[in-house]
Amino acid sequence: MKPVCLVMGAGAGIGGTVGKKFAKEGYHSVLCRRSDQEGLDKLVRDIEDDGGSASGFLLNVVEPDSIENLVNSIEDDIGPIEVVIFNLGAQVGDRSLKDTSYKVFELGWRMATFALFRLASIVCPLMEERGSGVILVTSATAAMRGNKGQHSHAAAMGGRRMLCQSLNAEFGPKGIHVAHILIDGSVDAPDTLGKMLGEEKFKQLRETKGLENDGLVLPEKIAETYFHIARQHRSTWTNELDIRSFSDMPWWNH
């Protein structure tokens, strides 16, 4: 039985690429995304064609019991979850305070913070019983700096960061490695940055800043970092780090 890597938020950017990396390294990757069954099936096929193993599930994390039922099903039918990649986004757009409804504000929290809490509530006791486990949480600049128009996103991602710290404080000594990974830059991903900018602008950005210029963060290189963190010896665990291109100004200098 292969160890299981559960990827929540397995799109064509960070999540799917990390899932491919872990599958290549001998894990069974369980890939979850909210929509696009066709894209999910292709991701699973790509992994299998490369000699790995994977499963795919459509999952709406804001639905009651969706996360809990998924984890129980994986543990019963596929195998014990050794690594979790929590890669769910919570960007609800650039909205002024008056244009940020209670519903929209809460949605950001439900995706970014509450979903992680629910996942931890079901998976941490299982990992604790086994004496080991890894939870890698993708985060964003908004976890460190609240910008204009980002009321929901900043509050939700800031909560995500603090939740990672509290989870680490409780479960680190029990053998569970929790890491908060801040992506402080634009990722070369068609289904996140590409959708936000539109096809033409995304193409222009790749040509001027990305590709051989290395000004966009490459998902394949992020995947290498995630795998390295997941395999760290417990005497040198990384609990928080930030990633950006060499040419980007870090969040604290803005």
Side-chain angles (χ1 to χ4, degrees):
M1 181 182 295
K2 290 187 175 183
V4 172
C5 173
L6 168 60
V7 183
M8 299 187 67
I14 295 174
T17 307
V18 172
K20 287 181 179 180
K21 172 64 175 177
F22 275 82
K24 192 176 184 66
E25 298 292 343
Y27 287 76
H28 179 93
S29 288
V30 178
L31 310 170
C32 304
R33 66 200 309 182
R34 184 179 61 84
S35 59
D36 187 10
Q37 183 71 58
E38 184 178 348
L40 180 61
D41 292 342
K42 181 181 184 305
L43 186 55
V44 171
R45 285 197 306 272
D46 288 346
I47 289 174
E48 292 176 341
D49 290 346
D50 197 36
S53 65
S55 307
F57 298 90
L58 292 182
L59 179 74
N60 186 348
V61 299
V62 301
E63 292 181 352
D65 299 323
S66 58
I67 297 172
E68 296 81 358
N69 290 340
L70 173 71
V71 169
N72 287 328
S73 176
I74 294 169
E75 289 274 333
D76 290 341
D77 301 332
I78 300 177
I81 300 170
E82 293 193 9
V83 178
V84 171
I85 310 297
F86 189 84
N87 187 60
L88 296 178
Q91 176 58 266
V92 296
D94 187 356
R95 300 169 184 255
S96 66
L97 181 62
K98 69 180 180 61
D99 291 329
T100 306
S101 66
Y102 288 0
K103 182 178 181 180
V104 165
F105 185 87
E106 184 179 300
L107 178 61
W109 170 78
R110 286 191 175 278
M111 292 188 295
T113 311
F114 189 43
L116 176 59
F117 175 80
R118 288 169 55 198
L119 176 65
S121 295
I122 186 70
V123 80
C124 282
L126 298 171
M127 291 180 170
E128 181 181 356
E129 186 175 342
R130 293 190 281 262
S132 64
V134 178
I135 301 175
L136 305 182
V137 181
T138 304
S139 193
T141 308
M144 313 299 290
R145 187 187 68 228
N147 286 339
K148 178 182 176 182
Q150 295 293 303
H151 307 293
S152 173
H153 193 223
M157 299 307 282
R160 174 181 288 189
R161 179 178 182 238
M162 291 298 100
L163 180 55
C164 286
Q165 291 189 8
S166 63
L167 289 172
N168 177 64
E170 179 174 354
F171 291 100
K174 298 175 181 179
I176 301 172
H177 184 184
V178 181
H180 175 263
I181 304 170
L182 172 69
I183 309 298
D184 184 32
S186 298
V187 179
D188 189 356
D191 63 344
T192 49
L193 185 62
K195 287 182 179 178
M196 185 172 67
L197 294 178
E199 184 176 350
E200 187 60 33
K201 287 186 177 179
F202 180 56
K203 180 182 177 182
Q204 292 175 359
L205 181 64
R206 293 193 79 208
E207 291 173 349
T208 57
K209 186 177 180 180
L211 301 175
E212 69 276 3
N213 299 304
D214 292 332
L216 296 178
V217 184
L218 299 176
E220 294 81 4
K221 302 306 179 183
I222 293 175
E224 292 178 5
T225 298
Y226 276 50
F227 186 73
H228 167 71
I229 295 171
R231 304 284 292 197
Q232 285 178 325
H233 187 268
R234 65 181 182 175
S235 68
T236 54
W237 275 356
T238 294
N239 298 119
E240 183 166 71
L241 80 159
D242 54 83
I243 295 173
R244 71 186 63 81
S245 165
F246 78 104
S247 59
D248 281 344
M249 184 180 295
W251 63 267
W252 60 81
N253 282 338
H254 281 243

